[in-house]
Amino acid sequence: MARHPGILRAVPPGCRAALDVGCGDGLLASKLARRSRQVVGVDASSTMVARASATYAEPTFLEGDFLTLDLPAGGFDFICSVTAVHHMDFEAALLRMRELLRPGGVLVVVGLAREDSAADRARRVAAAPLVRTVKALRRAVEPEGMPMAAPTMSHREVRETAARLLPGVRYRWHVLRRYSLT
């Protein structure tokens, strides 16, 4: 939820179709529905899709493997994914998102990376007091039933792979092992 405002600011004006990959409980997809004529949320978890469908009427929610689901090539002006790509084959997921994005569309991925350097660990330690305070103030909790997986790729591996597959991609490091690709 902390990243939602930045993601929503990236939605292009006049967005006709948006895709939320790994939509979870549907909160972000429901917010996207206010900025796009059509929104599709995809999640592999039947529990999450059932919860999203029961909570929000507006977006369309699909259960299935994003990598193989029947979605239109070049069919989306905006695609986002929040802490879901580390549950998939990273390279295949980025290529699939690129395939589904219309020319000139916007892709935003917020993901988790493994810390593999002293600099990564130092950033985590330095940010820890702020992170604890923000989580306490926001009363942050994970949605019940949300699948969890540890990231296998380092920040460096994510950055290098994204640069190879998505020319012009912008990589940003965030606290809590997170990064964003735009």
Side-chain angles (χ1 to χ4, degrees), residues 15-80:
C15 182
R16 294 170 292 179
L19 175 65
D20 182 3
V21 177
C23 66
D25 64 5
L27 179 61
L28 179 56
S30 74
K31 293 175 182 180
L32 285 171
R34 297 179 208 138
R35 296 174 184 252
S36 178
R37 281 190 251 157
Q38 176 193 14
V39 177
V40 176
V42 174
D43 205 289
S45 167
S46 59
T47 302
M48 290 290 100
V49 171
R51 181 173 300 144
S53 297
T55 306
Y56 304 105
E58 181 85 14
T60 299
F61 294 103
L62 303 175
E63 177 190 344
D65 179 354
F66 160 72
L67 298 174
T68 59
L69 213 54
D70 186 22
L71 297 166
F76 297 95
D77 300 299
F78 182 78
I79 298 175
C80 64

